[in-house]
């Protein structure tokens, strides 16, 4: 199967519908704070380089990077240069990111002088910086996206719902990808540097927290085949190239595998997140609003990975009709059964040092 150039919904759509990822990040902030007190500051006039691996359109990076700037400023003179590099795949909507940086009151560039923002379009499964360049790496809710789709499942769109022989292909790909990610970061990080990863995760039983919603989406895609919207071969190709690692799978290459001694796992934890949109629904009781928001959130990350599999002979109008029908039906299904859309995602947080 081909590469995984899948990005989030563009034109600011991801930024507008990524509240859940924003909540996940809050669990990484104590790890970030610790990283910022421990990380070695460059001693010469080299800048403190921060890499944001998998930034998307940047909304959720603003607060994180503002914390980084504040903490580095606390430890070093106000003139000390800080370079922040947002990394995402070439097709990412970097314009939205730069617009936000220039115009949003939440932009970390508002805080202080001497902070420089850059972006690079490349995969974090490859080398992105010269050796020993990065003082602090950050990656939130990106590492569950695999470098490629290792298999498809004729009956489901999510690896966590697949039979063992298909699931095993995903877990092997995830093992290779994680090792590859860490190997490149081991080169890029400076001695004394830190890397914080906040990643979608699963417990030892494989529960990852989004099962009911994935089942709703899968059931509706199957309905669309029965109702003549989708072709069977299109559905058969649809699979989201993600995998939710257990804490053990995250720790393995650092504790026993090839990265042992090169990178040090300083701290690790796993949390089960409350669903922020469900909590809002609980307070406001507005089922229409809940269904719309949960559908938009689902759409922001799933549309490119599902609907890139439509046949090439479909016109843009025809493709749009299918996509609108799908998300319209998802929305309706959520109104009818809101509990099925509640997601209690499991999140793993890791603090990694380059000794
Ligand atoms: C769900 S978004 C998370 C964005 C942001 N970090 C946040 O917390 O809201 C995942 C991002 O990871 C990016 N991504 C996935 N695979 C990638 C890869 N191999 N290299 C670089 N970025 C990747 C996607 O393009 C997407 O923008």
């Amino acid at each position: 199967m081909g590469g995984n150039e899948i990005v989030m919904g563009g034109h600011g759509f991801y930024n507008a519908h990524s509240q859940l990822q924003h909540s996940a990040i809050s669990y990484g902030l104590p790890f970030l704070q610790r990283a910022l007190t421990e990380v070695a500051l460059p001693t010469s006039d080299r800048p403190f380089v921060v890499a944001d691996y998998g930034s998307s359109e940047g909304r959720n990076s603003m607060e994180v990077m503002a914390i980084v700037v504040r903490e580095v400023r606390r430890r070093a003179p106000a003139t000390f240069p800080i370079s922040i590099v947002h990394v995402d795949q070439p097709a990412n909507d970097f314009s939205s990111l730069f617009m936000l940086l220039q115009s949003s009151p939440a932009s970390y560039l508002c805080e202080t002088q001497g902070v420089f923002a850059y972006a690079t379009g490349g995969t974090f499964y490859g080398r992105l910086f010269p050796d020993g360049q990065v003082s602090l790496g950050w990656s939130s809710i990106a590492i569950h996206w695999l470098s490629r789709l290792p298999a498809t499942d004729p009956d489901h769109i999510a690896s966590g719902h697949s039979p063992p022989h298909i699931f095993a292909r995903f877990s092997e790909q995830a093992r290779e990808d994680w090792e590859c990610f860490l190997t490149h970061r081991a080169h890029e990080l400076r001695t004394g540097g830190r890397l914080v990863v906040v990643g979608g995760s699963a417990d030892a039983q494989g529960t990852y927290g989004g099962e009911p919603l994935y089942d709703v989406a899968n059931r509706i895609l199957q309905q669309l085949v029965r109702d003549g919207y989708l072709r069977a071969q299109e559905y058969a190709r649809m699979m989201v190239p993600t995998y939710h690692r257990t804490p053990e799978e995250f720790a393995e290459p650092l504790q026993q595998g090839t990265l042992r001694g090169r990178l040090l796992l300083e701290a690790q934890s796993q949390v089960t997140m409350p669903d922020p949109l469900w909590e809002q629904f609980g307070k406001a009781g507005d089922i229409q609003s809940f269904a719309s928001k949960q559908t938009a959130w689902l759409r922001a990350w799933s549309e490119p990975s599902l609907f890139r599999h439509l046949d090439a002979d479909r016109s843009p109008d025809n493709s749009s009709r299918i996509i609108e029908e799908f998300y319209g039906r998802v929305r309706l299904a959520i109104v009818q059964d809101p509990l099925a859309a509640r997601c209690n995602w499991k999140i793993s947080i890791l603090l990694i040092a380059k000794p």
Side-chain angles (χ1 to χ4, degrees), residues 4 6-8 14 18 21 25 54-56 60 87-89 92 122-125 140-142 145:
N4 173 30
I6 293 168
V7 293
M8 306 292 105
Y14 178 81
S18 53
Q21 291 87 339
I25 286 172
S55 61
S56 190
N60 289 337
V87 174
D88 210 293
Q89 303 186 93
N92 181 53
T123 173
F124 52 50
Y125 295 121
S140 59
I141 316 298
W145 290 94

Side-chain angles (χ1 to χ4, degrees), residues 28 31-32 35 136-140 194-198 349-352:
F31 282 59
L32 179 70
L136 181 80
W138 166 265
S139 181
S140 59
R194 293 291 185 279
L195 171 67
V196 179
V197 176
V198 180
I349 308 124
L350 297 100
L351 171 57
I352 296 166

Side-chain angles (χ1 to χ4, degrees), residues 99-208:
M99 296 293 282
L100 209 60
L101 276 169
Q102 295 308 322
S103 58
S104 166
S107 168
Y108 59 81
L109 292 179
C110 299
E111 292 233 343
T112 170
Q113 301 294 306
V115 182
F116 303 90
Y118 306 90
T120 182
T123 173
F124 52 50
Y125 295 121
R127 279 297 292 281
L128 296 155
F129 297 88
D131 276 7
Q133 188 90 7
V134 175
S135 288
L136 181 80
W138 166 265
S139 181
S140 59
I141 316 298
I143 199 67
H144 60 300
W145 290 94
L146 300 177
S147 63
R148 60 193 279 275
L149 190 55
T152 51
D153 180 339
D155 299 313
H156 215 293
I157 55 168
S159 61
H161 304 239
S162 295
H165 69 285
I166 296 175
F167 185 76
R169 300 271 301 275
F170 278 79
S171 86
E172 179 51 23
Q173 187 65 50
R175 195 193 58 72
E176 266 176 38
D177 283 351
W178 177 229
E179 196 173 308
C180 172
F181 178 90
L182 290 173
T183 302
H184 289 298
R185 302 306 78 85
H187 283 287
E188 292 170 358
L189 278 175
R190 289 167 57 85
T191 301
R194 293 291 185 279
L195 171 67
V196 179
V197 176
V198 180
S201 187
D203 64 18
Q205 287 68 46
T207 304
Y208 62 90

Side-chain angles (χ1 to χ4, degrees), residues 315-333:
S315 68
D317 274 359
N318 184 230
S319 299
S320 301
R321 257 199 307 282
I322 297 168
I323 295 168
E324 293 306 326
E325 184 67 26
F326 171 67
Y327 290 105
R329 288 191 190 197
V330 168
R331 196 189 162 286
L332 211 61

